[in-house]
Amino acid sequence: MELLRGIWALQVEALPIYGPLAYRFLFENSTDEFVKPQSLFTVFDSNFQAVKAAKNEKITIPKDSIAVVDAIGLLTKYGDICSYGALDIVRALDFANQHPNIIGTVLNVDGPGGSIAAIGPLVEFGKRKTKPVVGLCDQACSAHLFGMLAVSDYIMADNNISAQIGSIGVMLSWMDNKKYLESIGYEFHQVYPDESKHKNESVRLAQEGKYEMIKKEMLSPKAIQFQDFVKEKRPRLKANHPGLLTGKSFGAEEALQLQLIDRIGSMGEAMEMAKYLSELQHIKKN
């Protein structure tokens, strides 16, 4: 549903990778290559050791644990046969936020972005959370960056080699096989009554190669909303840097200089930061 109808905040370099997969998923019913990870949720104890359940038993979460929630791969609102969606990620974040023995969460992000529809659930979680969340990323572009900013109190890149942060912007893309179908005999008809003359107007014009209305009414408002959200969440951001708010991506060192992230560090350091923020929160309450 999101593949066919959605607006996407997606790094364009991801299209050659995910485009063929989307085509096979939608039109060839080829699902054997899609393998969904067993879980997106891991618990680490106060010594940052992964907590595992004994055979045939439920996991016991010790006091002062840290949760790690994965947001990896193309981001969609709903989960499917090959990946977890934003709603699944938020359920895991909510579980960690509500569990009395979990003091904080690391959101482990690695993805090029995804559907605009996936961002809302993460924004709403960010409004209601009560425990600290540290965002740790390799790639955090477009929708992944938006979502990470929405839920995180502190943001880190996990390396300064492959890490990539940015691609602040939106896009609309579709395939049109109308000319081919017309060449083999198909005729297309769309009839609108006078009372519905504006229905789908921007889409109809875009299909004719007239993009101004769809940019003005659909894409530009989303792009501006994204820019404003980034500036709100990163008040020290060097927003005037060329390309920062208009779609460029940056390596970890430059992202740090631009105040798009707070630090470069490891998963262990991210868990340490979650623990520190929890202790700081406790001190402020008391």
Side-chain angles (χ1 to χ4, degrees), residues 72-138:
I72 296 173
L74 198 68
L75 187 64
T76 57
K77 183 175 181 178
Y78 305 100
D80 52 38
I81 61 169
C82 57
S83 64
Y84 295 98
L87 292 176
D88 302 310
I89 294 167
V90 167
R91 276 192 284 269
L93 290 169
D94 269 323
F95 177 85
N97 189 61
Q98 295 166 10
H99 197 286
N101 289 345
I102 294 176
I103 60 173
T105 300
V106 175
L107 180 66
N108 182 35
V109 175
D110 191 2
S115 169
I116 289 284
I119 297 171
L122 292 161
V123 171
E124 290 306 310
F125 170 78
K127 295 176 182 177
R128 66 176 177 267
K129 73 183 182 73
T130 57
K131 296 177 183 177
V133 176
V134 174
L136 178 70
C137 65
D138 189 335

Side-chain angles (χ1 to χ4, degrees), residues 5-264:
R5 76 174 189 185
I7 300 174
W8 291 71
L10 181 69
Q11 190 184 37
V12 72
E13 289 86 346
L15 287 177
I17 300 169
Y18 289 101
L21 290 174
Y23 181 87
R24 289 199 290 274
F25 179 77
L26 288 170
F27 303 115
E28 294 181 356
N29 198 28
S30 176
T31 59
D32 292 341
E33 65 192 279
F34 300 110
V35 179
K36 190 171 185 175
Q38 287 188 343
S39 175
L40 53 66
F41 183 87
T42 310
V43 175
F44 292 81
D45 63 22
S46 57
N47 296 313
F48 306 144
Q49 299 298 310
V51 178
K52 298 181 180 180
K55 190 175 181 180
N56 299 324
E57 292 184 9
K58 291 184 178 181
I59 187 172
T60 299
I61 299 176
K63 190 176 179 182
D64 297 330
S65 291
I66 300 291
V68 175
V69 177
D70 293 331
I72 296 173
L74 198 68
L75 187 64
T76 57
K77 183 175 181 178
Y78 305 100
D80 52 38
I81 61 169
C82 57
S83 64
Y84 295 98
L87 292 176
D88 302 310
I89 294 167
V90 167
R91 276 192 284 269
L93 290 169
D94 269 323
F95 177 85
N97 189 61
Q98 295 166 10
H99 197 286
N101 289 345
I102 294 176
I103 60 173
T105 300
V106 175
L107 180 66
N108 182 35
V109 175
D110 191 2
S115 169
I116 289 284
I119 297 171
L122 292 161
V123 171
E124 290 306 310
F125 170 78
K127 295 176 182 177
R128 66 176 177 267
K129 73 183 182 73
T130 57
K131 296 177 183 177
V133 176
V134 174
L136 178 70
C137 65
D138 189 335
Q139 186 184 38
C141 291
S142 294
H144 275 93
L145 177 60
F146 203 135
M148 183 170 67
L149 287 171
V151 306
S152 301
D153 303 284
Y154 194 88
I155 293 178
M156 300 170 58
D158 69 11
N159 70 85
N160 62 357
I161 300 171
S162 63
Q164 195 174 34
I165 302 101
S167 193
I168 298 167
V170 300
M171 64 174 291
L172 181 65
S173 177
W174 71 90
M175 293 181 292
D176 188 346
N177 62 355
K178 185 178 179 181
K179 288 183 180 179
Y180 169 73
L181 293 174
E182 286 176 336
S183 74
I184 59 174
Y186 284 83
E187 291 185 5
F188 291 84
H189 302 274
Q190 289 185 342
V191 181
Y192 293 85
D194 293 340
E195 295 81 3
S196 303
K197 62 183 179 181
H198 293 112
K199 186 174 179 64
N200 300 327
E201 184 179 14
S202 61
V203 174
R204 286 186 278 131
L205 289 171
Q207 289 172 338
E208 297 172 8
K210 301 171 184 176
Y211 303 126
E212 289 307 310
M213 180 177 284
I214 205 165
K215 287 195 293 183
K216 181 180 179 181
E217 294 185 355
M218 187 181 295
L219 297 180
S220 289
K222 296 297 182 186
I224 293 168
Q225 184 182 27
F226 196 170
Q227 292 172 342
D228 289 344
F229 190 81
V230 174
K231 288 186 284 188
E232 175 191 343
K233 291 295 182 178
R234 305 297 299 177
R236 295 192 296 168
L237 186 74
K238 297 181 180 179
N240 292 327
H241 185 83
L244 177 56
L245 293 175
T246 53
K248 282 191 175 183
S249 298
F250 305 91
E253 296 283 359
E254 193 169 5
L256 183 60
Q257 293 172 6
L258 296 173
Q259 296 293 321
L260 198 51
I261 61 174
D262 297 299
R263 183 178 168 188
I264 301 169

